[in-house]
Amino acid sequence: MTKKINKKLLILISAVALAFLGMEQQVSADTLPTNQTNIDLKVTNNGIPVIHTSYSAMNINRAYKEIKNGKISQKARNSAAWILTTQNTNSESDVGVITLSNGQKIGQGITHTDEEMASIISGLMNVDDLSLISEINRSNTTIPFLNPEHVIYKFTNNKGVAKASVEQGYTLILDANNNFVKLTKLQGTSENVLVDLANTDNKIKFTEDSKLKNLATNFGQYVVGTNQKFSFNLSISKDMWQQAGSVNLVLPPQSNLSFDSIEVLENNDAVAVVTNPDLNDTMVFNSSDPVIAANIALNETQSDILLRVTVHVNLEGNNISTNDLIYTSMKAMSVNNDGSSSVASTPNLVVAGVNFAMTQKNATEFARGGKFILAKSKGNAYKVYGKNNKWHEVDNLNHVQTSESLVLEGGERYILGSETPLKIPLDVLRFNFSEKNSREINKSLIQIIGLAQGDNYFLYRIDEGQNSSDSDKIFKFSIFSRSYFSPNNSLLVDNSINNPKEPLVGIVGQIPDYVAGANEYSNLTLDGSKQEQQINRRHIFVAIGFMVILILVATIFIVRYRGL
């Protein structure tokens, strides 16, 4: 009896203590000192959240103001950190002035603007990390950012978000190695601080054109068509010429993105642009090193610069002709006078698609011989994809000129923008591979790659000898792609290839390149019959296994409880 009472009392005390702690945390969060700011930090890499990564904040308000106003204390100017920085920058030690590699100077009586201070702070950190800044600041205290769901963890969550409470004023955001990430000014009681590691300097910035806005998916990405060109506006700050002599447009190694052109929209006299004359799709894709597409030399100017950069997805290599996801982006990069680099990146352009399998008899058998045109609805009209790789508007599908349209047939993989379709390859690595069976089944398959995001697509059946109604000739489908993190923190994708809205079941396992959850197929019935609803056996086995485990656990628990 005493043991039971003690246990109940212990539980009651624990519950009260937990409730008290929860109240105390709530009160402390709501009643911050007036000079503190709650920071919500979000870190991405070209839009993709940077998860489970450590960052910290360091208030440098004193150092910032002393350097900006040219009123640096005598103690700091006589310190070992000042002497070491003087030596590392090859500055004249007897002058008492430190000259950074970009020509900027700090010292007693030398004042600066807020625009200059960001490059001065990053320049000092490139010379001696945080040594001199900490000396002038009279503090090197850093505050770790905490996971908002589990505050015992000092890293970002699955959304790239972490939180901290920091003293107001000019604050450095640092990575796990105390490298400079961002300088920000905290003023309010709560602030959101955004950091994108692929866009580190607001003096150069890409923005997408209006054509891309409707193609946006999550994580700052765009699902694009491979038959189109896209433009980005590149803005360069009027102060950039003092920081770097030029900006390069750079494509990554083996890129499926190609550069088309660059045009100066504003402040033409401030730049001199030279493009790479050797660029072509094959050269860009086959290069094992980054490729400079254009060099933008900067002249002295009092106005911002605006350029338009046009690109397209190239169709080189096996990447574009398989069901693997393709991410493409271009960078604008400068090597600054202080040895640092400034980087801006275009958003990732994602390529997606869809697979179809022609069937009959309630999707219990494969079928062949169907012919289709690719179309999409636009209000009360339609657009049909042509042999010239362009969309053509029509009012009536029965009046479509098939001689001018791209006709889709079994056994082919259609990559939009490509001159000719490819034969669906044989999956010779399959453990039960049969060349004869694979070739026969492939005749029932249609694969389409390179459609832009949208839910208004459909196939329209045009083969002769079938008397289906207009409604039975139309097979609607969607194109989409969304990224997410799995429970084990792997970056995965949910798209119209691995998760179609109306997947084929049953006989889909016979398709040579079918992979559950990775390369799925949509049902394309040729006889108008509906697919029978089938229960996935795998789900049945999983459910049975779960119930067995649950019964075993319950049995063990009961036996042990009675034994006690």
Side-chain angles (χ1 to χ4, degrees):
M1 183 66 181
T2 303
K3 288 184 177 180
K4 289 184 179 180
I5 292 174
N6 289 341
K7 285 182 179 179
K8 289 180 178 179
L9 182 60
L10 181 60
I11 291 170
L12 179 61
I13 293 171
S14 299
V16 171
L18 287 172
F20 177 76
L21 286 173
M23 290 173 61
E24 184 179 31
Q25 287 180 349
Q26 183 64 41
V27 170
S28 63
D30 293 341
T31 58
L32 280 172
T34 55
N35 65 337
Q36 295 283 309
T37 296
N38 273 332
I39 305 177
D40 280 359
L41 175 70
K42 183 172 184 180
V43 187
T44 59
N45 188 354
N46 209 14
I48 299 174
V50 177
I51 68 172
H52 293 192
T53 306
S54 298
Y55 294 91
S56 62
M58 177 179 172
N59 180 285
I60 60 164
N61 204 54
R62 180 189 293 273
Y64 186 99
K65 289 184 175 180
E66 288 192 11
I67 295 171
K68 178 186 176 182
N69 297 326
K71 297 180 179 179
I72 303 171
S73 69
Q74 185 71 37
K75 181 182 178 182
R77 286 182 284 127
N78 291 334
S79 67
W82 184 279
I83 295 170
L84 183 61
T85 303
T86 300
Q87 295 172 348
N88 290 341
T89 56
N90 297 317
S91 302
E92 297 181 30
S93 58
D94 57 340
V95 177
V97 174
I98 293 174
T99 303
L100 300 175
S101 58
N102 63 357
Q104 291 178 311
K105 302 176 185 292
I106 68 169
Q108 194 70 4
I110 302 174
T111 60
H112 302 281
T113 65
D114 286 323
E115 288 74 19
E116 294 170 334
M117 283 301 297
S119 60
I120 288 174
I121 296 298
S122 64
L124 284 173
M125 291 187 65
N126 285 334
V127 174
D128 69 346
D129 298 323
L130 287 168
S131 298
L132 183 56
I133 293 174
S134 298
E135 183 67 39
I136 300 172
N137 201 52
R138 304 181 196 177
S139 171
N140 62 356
T141 302
T142 57
I143 307 297
F145 283 93
L146 306 178
N147 187 302
E149 287 86 26
H150 306 283
V151 293
I152 62 172
Y153 299 139
K154 299 178 181 180
F155 50 71
T156 54
N157 65 7
N158 285 346
K159 296 180 180 178
V161 174
K163 297 189 176 188
S165 176
V166 182
E167 185 180 353
Q168 291 177 2
Y170 290 96
T171 302
L172 282 174
I173 307 299
L174 306 168
D175 66 13
N177 297 315
N178 280 341
N179 293 317
F180 176 88
V181 175
K182 186 171 185 172
L183 175 65
T184 186
K185 184 180 182 181
L186 304 177
Q187 301 180 81
T189 56
S190 63
E191 290 195 20
N192 296 320
V193 176
L194 304 178
V195 172
D196 191 291
L197 301 180
N199 296 276
T200 58
D201 194 330
N202 58 12
K203 291 187 178 68
I204 50 177
K205 184 180 181 180
F206 281 108
T207 54
E208 73 280 3
D209 68 1
S210 57
K211 187 187 294 185
L212 281 169
K213 291 187 184 298
N214 294 330
L215 307 180
T217 180
N218 66 340
F219 291 177
Q221 302 172 147
Y222 298 85
V223 185
V224 301
T226 52
N227 65 314
Q228 296 175 284
K229 292 183 178 181
F230 301 94
S231 295
F232 297 93
N233 286 341
L234 174 62
S235 58
I236 302 176
S237 168
K238 62 184 178 182
D239 301 318
M240 191 67 190
W241 68 272
Q242 298 174 306
Q243 182 173 315
S246 65
V247 175
N248 288 328
L249 298 183
V250 182
L251 294 166
Q254 295 185 321
S255 174
N256 274 115
L257 187 71
S258 283
F259 169 86
D260 287 301
S261 63
I262 184 170
E263 176 187 3
V264 182
L265 301 180
E266 295 178 11
N267 203 359
N268 190 70
D269 294 335
V271 296
V273 179
V274 178
T275 58
N276 187 339
D278 299 324
L279 282 184
N280 59 64
D281 288 359
T282 303
M283 176 268 212
V284 167
F285 180 78
N286 289 331
S287 175
S288 57
D289 298 311
V291 175
I292 296 178
N295 173 264
I296 307 166
L298 304 177
N299 303 322
E300 183 175 349
T301 182
Q302 301 299 317
S303 303
D304 293 340
I305 303 161
L306 185 64
L307 307 100
R308 178 186 292 129
V309 179
T310 302
V311 298
H312 70 272
V313 178
N314 72 53
L315 306 178
E316 295 292 320
N318 292 328
N319 289 349
I320 202 73
S321 60
T322 69
N323 297 321
D324 296 333
L325 282 172
I326 299 160
Y327 296 95
T328 55
S329 62
M330 167 187 280
K331 295 184 184 298
M333 304 180 66
S334 70
V335 177
N336 300 327
N337 298 329
D338 63 0
S340 65
S341 61
S342 298
V343 181
S345 179
T346 62
N348 277 320
L349 304 183
V350 182
V351 177
V354 65
N355 298 327
F356 292 98
M358 293 181 280
T359 66
Q360 59 189 4
K361 298 181 181 179
N362 301 110
T364 59
E365 295 180 3
F366 289 110
R368 295 196 297 270
K371 296 182 180 181
F372 306 84
I373 57 174
L374 176 62
K376 58 183 178 179
S377 57
K378 183 185 179 183
N380 295 324
Y382 307 98
K383 283 192 170 184
V384 174
Y385 194 77
K387 291 179 179 178
N388 61 353
N389 290 316
K390 295 182 179 180
W391 294 94
H392 304 279
E393 189 163 329
V394 298
D395 295 325
N396 191 324
L397 292 172
N398 292 321
H399 298 158
V400 172
Q401 298 295 320
T402 56
S403 59
E404 299 176 0
S405 304
L406 178 66
V407 177
L408 279 59
E409 301 182 64
E412 306 286 357
R413 173 180 288 162
Y414 297 89
I415 305 171
L416 270 65
S418 183
E419 294 182 2
T420 57
L422 303 173
K423 291 293 182 184
I424 297 175
L426 300 175
D427 191 355
V428 297
L429 299 179
R430 198 175 175 93
F431 75 95
N432 59 347
F433 172 72
S434 166
E435 182 176 351
K436 180 180 178 181
N437 290 342
S438 294
R439 291 189 185 280
E440 286 300 308
I441 293 174
N442 279 1
K443 292 176 182 178
S444 302
L445 310 179
I446 297 173
Q447 299 179 349
I448 308 171
I449 297 175
L451 282 168
Q453 178 171 271
D455 57 6
N456 57 341
Y457 291 106
F458 62 92
L459 297 186
Y460 185 73
R461 191 173 177 186
I462 60 169
D463 51 290
E464 298 178 0
Q466 51 91 21
N467 298 315
S468 303
S469 63
D470 282 349
S471 60
D472 289 334
K473 294 180 183 179
I474 293 177
F475 301 88
K476 296 180 180 180
F477 65 95
S478 299
I479 296 294
F480 63 92
S481 180
R482 292 180 290 269
S483 300
Y484 66 98
F485 285 99
S486 68
N488 66 351
N489 304 318
S490 298
L491 182 62
L492 302 177
V493 175
D494 174 42
N495 63 22
S496 45
I497 288 180
N498 63 33
N499 187 21
K501 290 188 176 180
E502 297 185 13
L504 177 66
V505 296
I507 61 171
V508 70
Q510 301 175 36
I511 295 177
D513 66 352
Y514 165 76
V515 179
N519 195 43
E520 300 268 2
Y521 280 78
S522 295
N523 182 36
L524 200 58
T525 176
L526 296 192
D527 61 2
S529 61
K530 301 298 182 182
Q531 180 172 212
E532 293 180 347
Q533 296 298 321
Q534 299 186 25
I535 299 175
N536 194 322
R537 291 184 179 181
R538 184 178 60 183
H539 294 167
I540 295 176
F541 293 142
V542 170
I544 293 173
F546 177 78
M547 291 300 296
V548 169
I549 293 172
L550 189 62
I551 292 169
L552 286 173
V553 171
T555 303
I556 293 170
F557 177 79
I558 291 170
V559 170
R560 288 187 175 181
Y561 179 78
R562 288 182 176 178
L564 292 173

